[in-house]
C-alpha cells in the first residue's frame, strides 16, 4: 500500500509538470512503472490511460484559451490515429521498448536545448505542406503506438525546429495529438491483452489515475495561462532528457 502511495505522488508531479507544457507524461509513467516492477503487459495500458486523463483536461484548457487550431492540426492526426492503433497492436520485447523510447527521447530533448528564437508571432509561423504533415503524423503515431505513449514528445521538437507556431500553440497541438493517438494506441494494446484481462490488472492502479487527474488539471491551467514560451521550451527539454537518461541507465546497468 505504501508503494502505491509513493507511486501516486510521483504520478501526480509528473502529470502536473507535463500538462503545463502540453504533454501527457506517458514516457515518464512508463519509466516509473518499469522501475516499480509492474507487469510488463500492463505498463503501456496504464500509461496510455493516464495520458488520456491528463491531456483531456489540457485540450479543454487550451481550447478555452484559443490555442487549438483544427485547420492546422488535422493533417497531423488523420493518419497518425490508425498508425497508432497499428503500432499498439504489435508486441515487442521489454528491453527493445525501453531502448527505443530512451534514444528517441534523448534526441528530442537535445533538439529542444537549441537556442530557439523567442516570441514567434503569427506572421512568422511556417505552414507545413499537407503531404509532409500526413507523413510525419503517421510515422510518429506508429512509433508512439509501439512504445505506448501519445507521441507529443516526438512531435514537439519537429514543430519547434520548423517554427510551426508559438510555444503555446505547439503545446496545445501536442495535447490534442496525444489525446487522439493515446485512444488509438490503447485500442491496439487491448487487442493484445484482451479487455477482461486488462481490467483485472488495472484495479490496483486506481490511485494513479486519480493522482494524474488532479495533477493534470493543475498543470493544464498553469500551461494555458501563466508560463512564458522560454520556460515551456526549457522545461520540456529538461523533462525529456531526465526521462531518457533514466530509461537508458536502467537498461544498461
Amino acid at each position: 500500500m505504501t508503494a502505491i502511495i509513493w507511486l501516486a505522488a510521483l504520478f501526480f508531479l509528473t502529470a502536473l509538470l507535463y500538462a503545463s507544457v502540453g504533454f501527457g507524461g506517458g514516457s515518464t509513467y512508463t519509466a516509473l512503472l518499469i522501475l516499480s516492477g509492474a507487469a510488463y503487459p500492463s505498463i503501456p495500458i496504464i500509461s496510455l490511460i493516464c495520458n488520456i486523463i491528463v491531456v483531456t483536461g489540457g485540450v479543454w484548457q487550451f481550447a478555452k484559451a484559443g490555442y487549438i487550431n483544427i485547420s492546422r492540426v488535422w493533417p497531423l492526426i488523420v493518419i497518425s490515429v490508425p498508425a497508432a492503433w497499428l503500432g499498439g497492436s504489435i508486441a515487442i520485447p521489454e528491453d527493445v521498448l525501453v531502448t527505443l523510447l530512451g534514444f528517441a527521447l534523448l534526441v528530442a530533448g537535445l533538439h529542444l536545448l537549441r537556442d530557439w528564437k523567442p516570441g514567434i508571432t503569427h506572421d512568422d509561423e511556417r505552414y507545413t505542406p499537407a503531404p509532409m504533415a500526413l507523413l510525419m503524423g503517421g510515422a510518429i503515431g506508429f512509433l508512439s503506438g509501439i512504445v505506448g505513449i501519445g507521441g507529443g514528445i516526438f512531435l514537439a521538437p519537429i514543430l519547434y525546429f520548423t517554427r510551426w507556431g508559438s510555444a503555446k500553440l505547439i503545446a496545445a497541438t501536442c495535447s490534442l495529438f496525444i489525446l487522439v493517438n493515446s485512444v488509438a494506441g490503447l485500442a491496439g494494446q487491448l487487442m493484445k491483452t484482451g479487455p477482461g484481462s486488462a481490467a483485472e490488472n488495472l484495479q490496483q492502479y486506481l490511485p494513479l489515475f486519480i493522482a494524474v487527474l488532479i495533477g493534470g488539471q493543475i498543470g493544464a491551467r498553469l500551461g494555458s495561462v501563466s508560463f512564458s514560451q522560454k520556460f515551456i521550451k526549457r522545461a520540456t527539454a529538461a523533462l525529456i532528457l531526465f526521462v531518457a537518461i533514466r530509461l537508458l541507465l536502467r537498461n544498461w546497468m
Side-chain angles (χ1 to χ4, degrees):
M1 187 65 180
T2 302
I4 197 67
I5 291 175
W6 277 108
L7 195 57
L10 293 172
F11 269 52
F12 168 82
L13 291 174
T14 299
L16 189 153
L17 293 172
Y18 271 80
S20 70
V21 294
F23 295 154
S27 52
T28 296
Y29 305 140
T30 297
L32 292 172
L33 289 166
I34 290 172
L35 294 172
S36 71
Y40 173 61
S42 300
I43 290 175
I45 295 175
I46 296 169
S47 296
L48 288 169
I49 292 174
C50 288
N51 259 359
I52 293 168
I53 292 172
V54 172
V55 296
T56 297
V59 169
W60 173 252
Q61 294 296 333
F62 280 122
K64 287 202 304 181
Y67 290 110
I68 300 291
N69 188 336
I70 297 297
S71 65
R72 295 195 64 194
V73 174
W74 77 261
L76 294 171
I77 64 176
V78 69
I79 293 181
S80 72
V81 171
W85 172 83
L86 179 61
S89 66
I90 298 174
I92 62 173
E94 181 178 355
D95 58 338
V96 175
L97 181 148
V98 174
T99 300
L100 181 63
L101 179 59
F103 274 115
L105 297 184
L106 185 63
V107 172
L110 291 175
H111 271 298
L112 282 180
L113 283 181
R114 291 184 57 181
D115 187 21
W116 305 105
K117 294 181 179 180
I120 297 175
T121 65
H122 178 71
D123 292 335
D124 295 327
E125 293 175 358
R126 298 178 181 176
Y127 287 79
T128 304
M132 180 63 68
L134 291 168
L135 179 62
M136 180 171 65
I140 295 175
F142 182 70
L143 175 61
S144 302
I146 289 177
V147 297
I149 63 175
I153 211 161
F154 301 137
L155 179 64
I158 297 175
L159 297 184
Y160 279 124
F161 181 75
T162 58
R163 296 176 63 81
W164 191 84
S166 68
K168 288 183 178 178
L169 179 61
I170 290 174
T173 299
C174 288
S175 289
L176 182 59
F177 188 86
I178 292 167
L179 177 58
V180 296
N181 285 299
S182 292
V183 172
L186 178 61
Q189 293 288 340
L190 291 175
M191 285 183 61
K192 294 185 297 189
T193 61
S197 175
E200 293 178 4
N201 295 330
L202 294 180
Q203 291 179 2
Q204 60 183 310
Y205 295 106
L206 181 60
L208 305 185
F209 303 142
I210 297 173
V212 298
L213 174 62
I214 299 172
Q217 287 294 316
I218 296 173
R221 290 180 181 273
L222 293 174
S224 63
V225 177
S226 305
F227 289 171
S228 68
Q229 292 189 11
K230 183 176 181 179
F231 179 85
I232 288 175
K233 287 180 283 188
R234 298 302 184 191
T236 303
L239 289 169
I240 293 173
L241 289 173
F242 172 76
V243 173
I245 292 170
R246 287 293 302 274
L247 286 174
L248 293 174
L249 287 177
R250 184 264 181 191
N251 223 30
W252 291 348
M253 297 182 65

